[in-house]
Amino acid sequence: MDETFILLLLADSNLPTGSFVASSGLESYTTHGFLSLEPTKTEGTLAFVRDSLHSYAHSALPFTSDAHGIVAALAQLGQDTQQALASLTALDALYESMTVNHVARRASTAQGTALLALYAKAFSSTRSSSSAVMTALVDQLKLAARRGDTYGHLPVCWGVLTAALGLSLGRAQHLALFLHARSILSAAVRLNTIGPYLSQQILLMDIQPLVDGLVAQCCNLRSETDLDLDLDEGGHTTGPASTWPLGDIIAIRHDLQHSRIFNS
């Protein structure tokens, strides 16, 4: 299938992935008054998007890349499905252990398992042997998540979905960050911190250079599943890392709000 057409499908806001019920911490950030620290709500919203996107790229993208590699190898080399499933489960468990924010974990597993259901119900095919292998893998992963044998986190499941659909790793990484930014701006519109037209303007003018820069910076990061994190020449870890701990702390307080629009 044409890659451009797959990108259009996955970028469709009507996909039933549950992203509309998550604010990525923006609602708690707004309720606790941090948005008002900037001169305007618009600048505060954009600052939140920048910080959240930077942290997400460094913490989640390595897992998406690894999951994509596992599934792509299964499709191209015909490796054992059970071996791939075991590797994905280990990757999922590592992401769970590295995500200290229970609110983020809740949103991640809800959206991740929704992606698996999306593939199984809408995108799976048995017309070729490779498609049948992908369908079998996703079905087993979805069943494991339902049984509680794995978590089904969003970054891992996004890597699985995009690789199963034949999307290149670079496209999968780029779209993952774009969708994260778009979901935050969608939440901002519902929270009335910005309007719908301004949201589209920000996506056009501000988000593209942010996403492009972060993909270039983080495209080679991997999960380092053995937890032996090396340092590059600049002193930065080559594995996943949260770059905005304040955002995690504020998001953890989401359930303490007296009234909430979003589930997370």
Side-chain angles (χ1 to χ4, degrees):
M1 186 180 296
D2 180 61
E3 190 175 55
T4 301
F5 193 74
I6 295 175
L7 287 171
L8 292 172
L9 283 175
L10 295 180
D12 186 356
S13 60
N14 289 321
L15 282 184
T17 60
S19 59
F20 61 89
V21 301
S23 70
S24 301
L26 179 61
E27 184 174 20
S28 182
Y29 188 84
T30 303
T31 300
H32 286 83
F34 286 90
L35 204 67
S36 61
L37 296 178
E38 298 291 337
T40 65
K41 286 185 176 181
T42 299
E43 293 179 29
T45 300
L46 187 54
F48 179 91
V49 173
R50 288 196 187 101
D51 290 334
S52 179
L53 195 61
H54 188 276
S55 187
Y56 189 79
H58 285 80
S59 61
L61 214 57
F63 290 89
T64 291
S65 301
D66 278 354
H68 188 284
I70 292 169
V71 177
L74 177 65
Q76 296 171 5
L77 305 177
Q79 295 180 352
D80 181 58
T81 303
Q82 292 304 313
Q83 181 182 353
L85 183 63
S87 298
L88 291 171
T89 300
L91 198 63
D92 204 23
L94 180 59
Y95 188 81
E96 169 77 11
S97 67
M98 296 187 69
T99 308
V100 296
N101 179 351
H102 73 280
V103 177
R105 288 201 304 265
R106 183 175 66 206
S108 179
T109 54
Q111 294 177 65
T113 53
L115 286 179
L116 298 179
L118 173 66
Y119 182 86
K121 295 180 178 181
F123 296 151
S124 63
S125 173
T126 57
R127 295 178 183 177
S128 66
S129 58
S130 60
S131 297
V133 170
M134 293 298 101
T135 299
L137 175 66
V138 172
D139 285 343
Q140 291 179 56
L141 189 61
K142 181 162 62 74
L143 181 59
R146 186 178 300 168
R147 289 175 173 173
D149 296 332
T150 191
Y151 300 96
H153 278 291
L154 175 60
V156 175
C157 294
W158 179 255
V160 172
L161 173 69
T162 51
L165 290 174
L167 202 64
S168 66
L169 176 57
R171 293 289 194 181
Q173 293 170 334
H174 196 278
L175 188 55
L177 296 189
F178 168 78
L179 292 177
H180 181 74
R182 191 187 68 178
S183 69
I184 295 175
L185 291 173
S186 176
V189 172
R190 293 179 65 187
L191 289 167
N192 200 32
T193 67
I194 60 173
Y197 295 114
L198 181 57
S199 172
Q200 295 303 310
Q201 184 183 91
I202 291 174
L203 279 173
L204 178 64
M205 301 297 183
D206 299 290
I207 297 306
Q208 181 177 345
L210 280 176
V211 170
D212 290 346
L214 285 170
V215 169
Q217 184 179 357
C218 302
C219 63
N220 294 321
L221 292 181
R222 295 298 181 265
S223 67
E224 302 287 343
T225 52
D226 58 359
L227 294 181
D228 182 18
L229 302 183
D230 299 323
L231 294 177
D232 61 22
E233 293 180 358
H236 303 291
T237 58
T238 57
S242 174
T243 65
W244 193 34
L246 175 62
D248 282 331
I249 293 171
I250 297 171
I252 286 173
R253 296 180 56 83
H254 178 86
D255 294 342
L256 301 179
Q257 298 174 103
H258 294 297
S259 61
R260 301 184 296 275
I261 297 176
F262 297 91
N263 290 339
S264 58

